[in-house]
């Protein structure tokens, strides 16, 4: 069994989402708690900007959860930067036990899985999960300098400048994290770093099939099944291949990378990506819909591409991973 | 009138060099960096076999401005230096021919690195 | 579905780059840059600048303008549409030098600007120089006979 039904489902006590100008101008702009017009967050390097974003988003989530920093037992966080420095510097000032995680764009779900398991098990009473990505620091590290004049291919995705955070607690009124399932590393053999959706789709399908089989639930159980972030190409592949397996997801399925940005006018090609993308969509947009009573059950399936800038140059294929979190308004 | 003809020749030849590269970018998995290397090497080769000089005479800046023209100036520099100094010219000639562009790129690149910081893309 | 079948499936359904549009922009912008260069050459000659100097001054001017536009953050906006139209002329080389120089200023003037300046344009210098040296040697040998 890969599926874990949490014995004491932790409550999402509070959540927060921040972004930059582009995310604010997107369709979910109103669901951000804070945005920075320049994307610098007042810092002089892009890496420091990303760290500052993490510091801000955790502070906002704590405030919304009415939780004092002193009450936190641990922080589970990650980002895309080498050796997770975005989280390390950003969360330094909190002075809390820290688990630095790397799951590429799946990091937020990875953090939620580990955090909720340890709260459910009783080791921790309150924990925070944080993840972020910054377009400028990611471009620098994975692609080209910002001012370099290049063209993106039609399947390319846009790294979101955004961060999200959950505060999970042992007690409290929903929404709850009721089920979790960690992903396996799945290699579909894709080598094109500009087609991450295709590289990650096999991992998403692997986890989804395992979940439906083990849980006995069907897609109809959910208000939404959200991947983050396969982009348009990965979404179409997932829909089609899941249909071949006998699951029609058309009604409930969407992708955080598609939700965050507004199609053609924002020129993001296949949609958003980065560990801040799904983190901010889930922490902002989706949590608001839980609180308004619109959503009761959401399956959040965060996907990550497990590669670096050198592995693709060396000709290695790009394996993917998909971590699953079931958020529900009832235990 | 003659000036206009020069402009048109430069436009068409230079434009065609770009179109060829664009087709390579869109249709093959070649990255822009590989295409630039291909272009500069092709420039040296075409100059060596005597094909590029006539093109420069015909299209002027339409042939010297694309990166093949960079290869042309490297090769021309080497040829002149070998004529004058013998074998050592193979090492000294290339940069003589292309030094203007390289030194300018370093100087202005450095200057603007001091003056500006990178902007987020729109 | 095995890896091979999946790879073929992905490749078959992948959206294609708009080749015709891309080529039209590349031709237009690339052509314009080259005819701008030609006009500059005529202007410099008109100013009675010696021909050899004028021919060096043209690429230097283009490099200056490209580096400036790179610094102002405009070059990448043009290149997004122009593609190979700005990449292939010497403007692309200048951008490839200036962009990493500006970007890596945060790591300092030596290890940032100095060391990273040629991370993109380096291969052009390396292979251009190697080819020209090989050509020089062959040219010298042929000249012996």
């Amino acid at each position: 069994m890969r599926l874990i039904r949490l014995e004491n489902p932790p409550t999402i006590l509070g959540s927060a989402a921040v972004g930059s100008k582009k995310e604010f101008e997107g369709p979910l702009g109103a669901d951000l708690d804070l945005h920075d017009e320049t994307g610098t967050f007042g810092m002089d390097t892009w890496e420091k900007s990303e760290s500052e974003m993490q510091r801000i988003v955790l502070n906002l989530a704590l405030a919304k959860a009415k939780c004092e920093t002193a009450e936190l037992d641990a922080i589970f966080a990650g980002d895309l930067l080498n050796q997770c420095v975005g989280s390390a510097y950003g969360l330094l000032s909190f002075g809390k036990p820290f688990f630095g995680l790397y799951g590429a764009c799946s990091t937020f779900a990875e953090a939620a899985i580990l955090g909720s398991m340890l709260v459910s098990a009783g080791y921790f009473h309150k924990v925070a999960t944080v993840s972020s990505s910054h377009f400028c620091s990611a471009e620098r590290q994975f692609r080209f300098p910002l001012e370099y004049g290049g063209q993106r291919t039609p399947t390319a995705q846009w790294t979101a400048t955004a961060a999200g955070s959950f505060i999970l607690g042992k007690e409290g009124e929903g929404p709850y994290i009721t089920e979790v399932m960690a992903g396996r590393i799945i290699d579909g053999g894709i080598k094109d770093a500009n087609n991450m959706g295709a590289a990650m789709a096999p991992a998403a399908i692997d986890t989804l099939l395992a979940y439906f089989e083990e849980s006995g639930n069907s897609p109809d159980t959910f208000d939404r099944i959200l991947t983050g972030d396969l982009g348009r190409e990965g979404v179409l592949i997932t829909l089609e291949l899941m249909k071949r397996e006998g699951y029609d997801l058309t009604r409930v399925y969407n992708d955080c990378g598609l939700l965050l940005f507004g199609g053609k006018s924002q020129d993001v090609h296949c949609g958003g990506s980065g560990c801040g993308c799904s983190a901010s969509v889930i922490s902002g947009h989706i949590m608001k819909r839980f609180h308004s009573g619109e959503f009761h059950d959401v399956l959040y399936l965060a996907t990550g591409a497990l590669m670096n800038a050198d592995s693709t140059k060396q000709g290695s294929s790009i394996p993917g991973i998909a971590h699953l979190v079931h958020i529900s308004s009832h235990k | 009138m003659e000036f206009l003809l020069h402009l048109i020749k430069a436009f068409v030849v230079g434009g065609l060099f770009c179109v060829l590269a664009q087709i390579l970018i869109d249709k093959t998995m070649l990255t822009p960096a590989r295409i630039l290397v291909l272009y500069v090497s092709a420039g040296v080769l075409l100059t060596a076999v005597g094909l590029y000089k006539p093109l420069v005479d015909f299209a002027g800046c339409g042939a010297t401005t694309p990166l093949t023209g960079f290869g042309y100036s490297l090769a021309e520099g080497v040829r002149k230096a070998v004529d004058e100094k013998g074998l050592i010219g193979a090492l000294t000639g290339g940069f003589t021919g292309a030094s203007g562009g390289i030194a300018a790129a370093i100087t202005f690149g450095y200057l603007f690195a001091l003056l500006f910081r990178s902007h987020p893309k729109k | 579905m095995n890896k091979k079948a999946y790879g073929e499936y992905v490749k078959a359904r992948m959206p294609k780059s708009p080749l015709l549009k891309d080529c039209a922009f590349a031709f237009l912008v690339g052509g314009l840059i080259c005819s701008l260069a030609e006009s500059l050459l005529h202007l410099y000659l008109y100013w009675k600048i010696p021909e050899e100097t004028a021919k060096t001054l043209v690429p230097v001017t283009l490099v200056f303008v490209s580096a400036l536009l790179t610094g102002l953050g405009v070059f990448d906006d043009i290149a997004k549409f122009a593609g190979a139209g700005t990449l292939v002329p010497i403007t692309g080389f200048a951008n490839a030098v200036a962009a990493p120089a500006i970007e890596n200023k945060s790591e300092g003037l030596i290890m940032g600007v100095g060391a990273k300046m040629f991370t993109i344009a380096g291969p052009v210098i390396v292979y251009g120089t190697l080819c020209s040296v090989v050509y020089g040697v062959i040219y010298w040998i042929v000249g012996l006979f």
Side-chain angles (χ1 to χ4, degrees):
Chain A
M1 283 284 274
R2 284 167 63 189
L3 178 67
I4 296 166
R5 284 210 171 88
L6 295 171
E7 216 165 296
N8 309 298
T11 305
I12 302 169
L13 295 170
S15 70
V18 303
S20 76
K21 185 167 184 268
K22 197 177 183 95
E23 291 70 27
F24 181 69
E25 287 168 352
L28 308 186
D31 294 327
L32 293 175
D33 295 289
L34 180 146
H35 78 282
D36 182 281
E37 282 287 319
T38 63
T40 63
F41 291 85
M43 297 290 144
D44 59 357
T45 74
W46 299 120
E47 287 75 11
K48 287 181 193 165
S49 305
E50 181 163 357
S51 293
E52 179 65 4
M53 204 160 59
Q54 287 217 2
R55 194 186 68 80
I56 291 170
V57 81
L58 179 52
N59 273 319
L60 287 171
L62 283 167
K64 285 170 79 179
K66 298 190 176 62
C67 173
E68 296 287 335
T69 308
E71 296 173 62
L72 272 187
D73 294 321
I75 305 174
F76 297 79
D79 55 87
L80 292 177
L81 299 181
N82 287 334
Q83 287 75 41
C84 280
V85 287
S87 309
Y89 290 115
L91 305 173
L92 173 69
S93 60
F94 291 91
K96 289 291 162 185
F98 166 66
F99 295 87
L101 306 174
Y102 187 83
C105 307
S106 73
T107 305
F108 195 65
E110 187 181 0
I113 290 174
L114 293 170
S116 59
M117 278 166 63
L118 289 162
V119 170
S120 172
Y123 290 106
F124 296 133
H125 285 272
K126 281 181 184 172
V127 302
T129 66
V130 189
S131 81
S132 68
S133 55
H134 197 300
F135 177 82
C136 300
S137 60
E139 282 296 299
R140 241 161 92 72
Q141 181 175 313
F142 289 99
R143 296 182 193 93
F144 290 110
L146 292 168
E147 304 302 348
Y148 178 66
Q151 273 177 321
R152 292 164 170 272
T153 65
T155 50
Q157 286 174 255
W158 184 280
T159 308
T161 301
S165 174
F166 274 176
I167 308 296
L168 302 175
K170 205 173 170 70
E171 282 116 28
E173 292 297 306
Y176 310 96
I177 294 180
T178 54
E179 295 176 307
V180 297
M181 184 190 266
R184 301 191 297 164
I185 306 163
I186 302 288
D187 186 7
I190 301 297
K191 292 185 177 180
D192 182 2
N194 285 313
N195 197 354
M196 294 293 198
M200 296 186 290
I205 294 163
D206 176 76
T207 303
L208 267 180
L209 289 177
Y211 174 78
F212 287 135
E213 191 173 310
E214 292 182 16
S215 68
N217 287 339
S218 76
D220 293 330
T221 316
F222 298 95
D223 301 301
R224 283 285 184 281
I225 295 175
L226 285 168
T227 47
D229 322 290
L230 293 176
R232 194 181 316 110
E233 192 59 13
V235 162
L236 294 174
I237 291 172
T238 305
L239 271 177
E240 188 173 322
L241 297 188
M242 282 303 286
K243 201 162 202 169
R244 286 190 200 172
E245 300 286 343
Y247 293 96
D248 186 2
L249 304 181
T250 325
R251 187 187 63 82
V252 289
Y253 179 49
N254 212 326
D255 181 75
C256 297
L258 287 183
L259 287 170
L260 186 63
F261 295 112
K264 271 215 146 78
S265 63
Q266 286 200 303
D267 196 30
V268 294
H269 295 258
C270 256
S273 69
C275 20
C277 180
S278 73
S280 64
V281 171
I282 298 290
S283 304
H285 179 70
I286 300 300
M287 291 316 290
K288 281 200 178 161
R289 262 116 214 103
F290 269 102
H291 292 303
S292 70
E294 189 183 333
F295 288 170
H296 298 284
D297 281 283
V298 166
L299 207 55
Y300 166 42
L301 190 70
T303 53
L306 303 176
M307 44 74 76
N308 69 22
D310 286 331
S311 69
T312 46
K313 280 184 204 138
Q314 291 170 4
S316 303
S317 56
I318 304 169
I321 192 159
H323 294 300
L324 178 145
V325 176
H326 178 183
I327 303 170
S328 178
S329 57
H330 46 87
K331 284 194 185 180
Chain B
M1 203 56 226
E2 202 191 337
F3 171 64
L4 200 65
L5 191 68
H6 280 300
L7 281 193
I8 293 171
K9 281 183 192 167
F11 187 98
V12 173
V13 172
L16 285 177
F17 270 115
C18 298
V19 168
L20 181 65
Q22 189 70 50
I23 293 172
L24 288 174
I25 293 175
D26 283 3
K27 283 286 174 190
T28 67
M29 293 297 274
L30 286 177
T31 56
R34 283 170 198 270
I35 287 164
L36 292 188
V37 167
L38 194 73
Y39 262 56
V40 75
S41 310
V44 174
L45 185 72
L46 290 174
T47 310
V49 298
L51 288 176
Y52 209 79
K53 185 79 172 56
L55 190 65
V56 172
D57 292 339
F58 172 75
C61 292
T64 54
T65 309
L67 265 193
T68 39
F70 195 68
Y72 164 74
S73 48
L74 284 168
E76 279 291 283
V78 162
R79 190 181 56 76
K80 277 184 202 154
V82 171
D83 281 342
E84 285 166 18
K85 297 180 245 174
L87 186 57
I88 193 71
L91 290 176
T92 60
F95 280 135
T96 320
S99 60
I102 298 174
I106 293 176
T107 309
F108 299 133
Y110 193 89
L111 175 69
F112 295 127
L114 294 181
L115 296 179
F116 297 106
R117 80 168 276 185
S118 58
H119 309 72
K121 282 189 193 287
K122 287 181 195 90
Chain C
M1 203 186 277
N2 63 25
K3 275 186 203 176
K4 195 162 167 275
Y6 183 66
E8 279 160 12
Y9 165 74
V10 165
K11 211 166 182 182
R13 54 159 300 120
M14 211 164 94
K16 305 279 177 289
S17 297
L19 185 67
L20 211 64
K21 191 184 120 209
D22 282 356
C23 283
F25 274 118
F27 184 70
L28 200 69
V29 178
L32 274 176
I33 290 172
C34 292
S35 46
L36 170 72
E38 188 69 29
S39 327
L40 282 172
L41 181 65
H42 281 79
L43 180 71
Y44 294 152
L45 292 175
Y46 176 76
W47 284 345
K48 301 277 185 283
I49 295 172
E51 189 172 344
E52 277 304 304
T53 313
K55 279 186 173 167
T56 309
L57 217 48
V58 170
V60 168
T61 313
L62 290 181
V63 165
F64 175 82
V65 174
S66 311
L68 178 63
L69 291 179
T70 305
L72 291 171
V74 180
F75 192 97
D76 56 321
D77 296 331
I78 303 170
K80 193 165 76 181
F81 295 101
T86 47
L87 176 80
V88 168
I90 196 160
T91 47
F93 177 75
N95 170 250
V97 174
I102 293 165
E103 185 68 65
N104 293 293
K105 186 165 62 162
S106 49
E107 283 79 51
L109 292 180
I110 306 296
M111 292 316 288
V113 179
K116 297 283 178 65
M117 195 178 244
F118 281 94
T119 42
I120 305 172
V124 171
I125 305 273
V126 170
Y127 285 95
T129 306
L130 281 178
C131 288
S132 74
V133 170
V134 171
Y135 164 57
V137 172
I138 294 172
Y139 181 72
W140 179 75
I141 294 172
V142 171
L144 289 178
F145 302 102

